[in-house]
Amino acid sequence: MTISFQGEKVFLKGKPLKVGENAPEITLVSKDFSEIKVGGKQDKIQIISVVPSLDGSVCSIQAKRFNQEATKLKDCIVYIVSIDTPFAMERFCLDANAKNIIVASDFIDKTFGEKYGLILANSFLKGMLTRAVLIVDKEGKLIYQEICEELGHEPNYQAALNKINTL
């Protein structure tokens, strides 16, 4: 899949999942270095907001927006997945007063990025995750996916929220 970043073509390593496929359960690292399971079957609907780094301005906006929206969502859990270190995730959560989201990192082995096909294959951001929003139902099926066509643009929050409201 090809996206763009500041007008240049950027490719994704591997193939992204398709809506209707099982979302693999992946173990990621939390801001306190504990393990977090993302994807797979859970007792809540999962919104997985994927960003390259919480230090990026658009990434920060995206995480803050989902932190706000999480207060209005029932039966949902919101993950923000990046390749940031736990230290950076902790700093972001403190600075942004982000208490309604769960930050998780794929920095150790990039298994999430590989299994979900969301690793940037070229550009100076090579090896980071692209910007995306995924929704996984309680049975572990991917029911919504937006991979942002322009890495520097925010996702369509309303489309994701509309999908949640139809469940």
Side-chain angles (χ1 to χ4, degrees):
M1 178 174 184
T2 305
I3 59 173
S4 65
F5 181 54
Q6 299 175 342
E8 294 184 36
K9 284 187 179 181
V10 181
F11 299 94
L12 297 180
K13 182 179 173 184
K15 291 184 180 179
L17 293 178
K18 292 184 176 151
V19 171
E21 291 184 326
N22 289 324
E25 181 180 276
I26 307 294
T27 301
L28 299 175
V29 179
S30 75
K31 65 183 178 180
D32 67 359
F33 290 88
S34 62
E35 293 184 346
I36 295 176
K37 303 257 188 229
V38 174
K41 188 175 182 176
Q42 292 194 20
D43 61 348
K44 292 185 181 270
I45 297 164
Q46 301 169 67
I47 299 173
I48 305 171
S49 174
V50 184
V51 297
S53 173
L54 290 166
D55 286 327
S57 60
V58 178
C59 302
S60 175
I61 291 167
Q62 182 175 336
K64 289 174 184 175
R65 174 71 184 267
F66 276 111
N67 183 61
Q68 282 180 318
E69 296 296 341
T71 64
K72 305 171 201 166
L73 300 172
K74 294 180 181 173
D75 214 22
C76 291
I77 189 164
V78 180
Y79 296 105
I80 307 295
V81 177
S82 69
I83 61 160
D84 288 313
T85 64
F87 307 112
M89 294 187 304
E90 175 71 14
R91 183 182 65 245
F92 170 81
C93 289
L94 288 172
D95 292 347
N97 196 28
K99 297 178 180 177
N100 306 310
I101 54 175
I102 297 174
V103 291
S105 181
D106 194 25
F107 83 101
I108 293 177
D109 59 13
K110 299 183 182 172
T111 302
F112 176 87
E114 289 177 5
K115 297 278 186 184
Y116 283 77
L118 299 175
I119 296 176
L120 298 168
N122 65 311
S123 89
F124 73 93
L125 297 175
K126 179 180 180 180
M128 296 181 90
L129 297 171
T130 194
R131 183 175 319 285
V133 177
L134 316 171
I135 300 175
V136 178
D137 70 11
K138 292 180 183 182
E139 298 304 313
K141 296 272 186 208
L142 181 67
I143 59 170
Y144 175 89
Q145 177 172 250
E146 177 190 5
I147 299 172
C148 295
E149 292 179 11
E150 167 55 49
L151 189 58
H153 293 171
E154 293 175 65
N156 184 340
Y157 303 108
Q158 199 55 55
L161 295 170
N162 288 347
K163 182 64 178 180
I164 292 292
N165 290 331
T166 64
L167 301 176

